[in-house]
């Protein structure tokens, strides 16, 4: 089965709200995690990443949190905008060969 | 700087036909890979390459061949297409040792 999964397949929020997308992973040997955004008809785009020696990393309007104790990863998007509507994937890396293992994705729908 | 370029964007094949999906990158990345994306599923790794002349299998390699004669190009060949290969195919690349992948815009393939 999938070693990386998501709790919510669809998340609907209002513009301006904060969004939280969750991801569970099962391999404690994973040392790198990454979030991608995929808009309809396009390839995945990098959002933010984090290594296992960190608990939190912030970018522009996005924050990734890593809880190694419960093998949980989350992506927080502040002040969500309609342009944030997309499918979000988490992925992990174990081998170090850039061979990412992806979760199934969560669709984020932002209403104006 | 075009990034990762995939051609064609759309393709319809009949069962048993062969074709090659093209992927080229102009970032001088050593690592290149092919993923397929099916509805409700994350991206699954087909084949990857860590440099010219070196290829290896991913999670779902059956029915696909690859070669890497140059750093820039990494074509994916379907020798005898099957309906189960109907999917969206993404090519990705990165610097060796850098897990952050850059993706192309995808090829939507339908096998009838």
């Amino acid at each position: 089965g999938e070693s990386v999964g998501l709790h919510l397949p669809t998340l609907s929020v209002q513009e301006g709200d904060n969004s939280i997308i969750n991801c569970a992973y099962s391999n404690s040997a994973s040392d790198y995690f990454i979030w991608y955004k995929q808009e309809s008809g396009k390839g995945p785009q990098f959002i933010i990443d984090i290594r296992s020696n960190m608990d939190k990393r912030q970018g522009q309007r996005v924050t990734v949190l890593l809880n190694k104790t419960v093998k949980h990863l989350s992506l927080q998007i502040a002040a969500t905008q309609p342009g944030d509507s997309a499918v979000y994937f988490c992925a992990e890396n174990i081998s170090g060969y850039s061979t990412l293992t992806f979760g199934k994705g969560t669709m984020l729908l932002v209403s104006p | 700087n075009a990034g990762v370029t995939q051609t064609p964007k759309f393709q319809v094949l009949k069962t048993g036909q062969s074709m090659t999906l093209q992927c080229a990158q102009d970032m001088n990345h050593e690592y290149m890979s092919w993923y397929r994306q099916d509805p409700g599923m994350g991206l699954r790794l087909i084949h990857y390459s860590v440099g010219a002349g070196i290829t290896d299998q991913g999670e779902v390699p059956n029915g696909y061949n690859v070669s890497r004669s140059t750093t820039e190009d990494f074509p994916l060949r379907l020798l005898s297409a099957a309906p189960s290969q109907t999917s969206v195919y993404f090519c990705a690349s990165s610097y060796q040792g850098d897990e952050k992948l850059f993706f192309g815009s995808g090829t939507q393939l339908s096998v009838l």
Side-chain angles (χ1 to χ4, degrees), chain B:
Chain B
N1 196 339
V4 179
T5 302
Q6 290 184 239
T7 56
K9 291 190 181 300
F10 303 94
Q11 182 70 50
V12 179
L13 293 177
K14 294 181 180 178
T15 296
Q17 286 185 314
S18 63
M19 80 157 296
T20 299
L21 281 64
Q22 302 291 344
C23 176
Q25 52 89 13
D26 60 0
M27 297 175 281
N28 204 30
H29 286 168
E30 299 92 348
Y31 178 89
M32 297 185 74
S33 56
W34 278 101
Y35 286 84
R36 61 177 288 172
Q37 183 176 35
D38 300 299
M41 301 185 72
L43 286 82
R44 292 183 292 170
L45 181 65
I46 304 172
H47 284 285
Y48 65 96
S49 169
V50 299
I54 305 170
T55 63
D56 207 344
Q57 297 181 349
E59 179 185 355
V60 289
N62 292 339
Y64 307 95
N65 283 345
V66 292
S67 60
R68 185 94 180 271
S69 57
T70 67
T71 300
E72 294 78 18
D73 301 296
F74 191 44
L76 178 72
R77 298 184 186 85
L78 285 71
L79 298 179
S80 179
S84 61
Q85 294 179 304
T86 293
S87 189
V88 181
Y89 292 84
F90 289 100
C91 179
S93 71
S94 72
Y95 289 112
Q96 183 66 348
D98 184 355
E99 297 96 330
K100 185 169 66 181
L101 295 178
F102 292 85
F103 283 86
S105 57
T107 294
Q108 187 170 324
L109 176 68
S110 295
V111 183
L112 306 178

